[in-house]
């Protein structure tokens, strides 16, 4: 197969465009998945907006019963629960949250209740709420 310089240049430009980050973006990692907290245990009632599991920010989700996960099986994400609304301490943790979740998988929070949650990379640190 024979390609001209013009054709090769065109394909190179297309590849660069499809892989380029937005101009104002500082994101360097790809998204591993998205999660939505829901009120019931079956991920069907009053589900919130999707959040990126790569974002370690505190999510105030008091009274939620489940998390709906959308994304591939990729490694290194844990879900931490805190009884307070500011993620000030850790009362429980779901290690390898990604391993028990898959695309469109519902995870019941019955054993990991909290008022706030956050996703972190790596395993679970020790619980530290008194």
């Amino acid at each position: 197969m024979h390609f001209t310089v013009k054709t090769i240049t065109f394909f190179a430009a297309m590849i660069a465009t499809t892989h380029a980050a937005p101009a104002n973006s500082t994101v360097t990692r790809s998204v591993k998945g998205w999660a939505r907290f829901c009120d019931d245990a079956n991920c069907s009632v009053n589900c919130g907006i999707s959040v990126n599991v790569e974002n370690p920010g505190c999510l105030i989700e008091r009274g939620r019963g489940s998390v709906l996960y959308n994304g591939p099986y990729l490694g290194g994400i844990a879900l931490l629960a805190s009884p307070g609304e500011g993620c000030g301490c850790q009362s429980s943790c779901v290690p390898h949250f990604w391993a028990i979740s898959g695309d469109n998988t519902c995870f019941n929070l019955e054993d990991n209740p909290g008022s706030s949650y956050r996703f972190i990379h790596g395993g679970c640190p020790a619980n530290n709420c008194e």
Side-chain angles (χ1 to χ4, degrees), residues 16-96:
T17 302
T18 60
H19 288 63
N24 295 331
S25 175
T26 58
V27 175
T28 57
R29 292 186 289 200
S30 62
V31 174
K32 289 187 178 180
W34 299 89
R36 296 174 62 193
F37 288 83
C38 304
D39 285 349
D40 67 326
N42 300 313
C43 297
S44 61
V45 176
N46 195 31
C47 296
I49 62 168
S50 294
V51 295
N52 181 346
V53 299
E54 288 284 311
N55 184 343
C58 184
L59 303 165
I60 300 171
E61 298 289 346
R62 177 181 292 188
R64 297 301 202 153
S66 59
V67 178
L68 178 62
Y69 178 80
N70 290 295
Y73 287 133
L74 292 174
I77 301 293
L79 176 64
L80 307 182
S82 179
E85 290 192 354
C87 295
C89 66
Q90 173 186 315
S91 58
S92 68
C93 179
V94 180
H96 308 296

